[in-house]
Amino acid sequence: MKMSKNIYLVLAILFLVSFINSLFDTGETHKLFFWEVNIWVYRLFRLAIAVLFMKSYLDIKKAETITKE
């Protein structure tokens, strides 16, 4: 099943908003996949996923413009 490129963009924005929201969290730990982790590990995880989805979106967009030319 092929995902639309716009879904990657939406997911990147959602994870970026989640990352920004975590900056206002005052706790020192956060639950991530059943484990308590340092808040900075959690923030880096959210940011890395946002960057991954944005990179996927840009790669697909670039591939589409190359094939159109």
Side-chain angles (χ1 to χ4, degrees):
M1 182 172 131
K2 186 176 177 184
M3 288 178 38
S4 172
K5 71 176 179 176
N6 294 330
I7 292 176
Y8 287 108
L9 180 61
V10 169
L11 288 172
I13 291 170
L14 286 175
F15 275 98
L16 184 62
V17 168
S18 174
F19 166 74
I20 292 170
N21 189 31
S22 75
L23 293 175
F24 298 104
D25 189 5
T26 58
E28 292 188 18
T29 62
H30 200 277
K31 199 146 188 104
L32 181 69
F33 300 125
F34 312 114
W35 295 288
E36 290 284 331
V37 295
N38 188 334
I39 191 68
W40 285 104
V41 172
Y42 174 75
R43 290 173 181 160
L44 287 175
F45 173 74
R46 290 291 184 177
L47 185 61
I49 291 181
V51 168
L52 180 72
F53 279 125
M54 184 58 78
K55 183 180 179 325
S56 297
Y57 169 77
L58 293 174
D59 288 344
I60 292 170
K61 188 175 176 181
K62 183 179 177 182
E64 285 179 354
T65 57
I66 290 173
T67 57
K68 287 182 182 178
E69 293 177 354

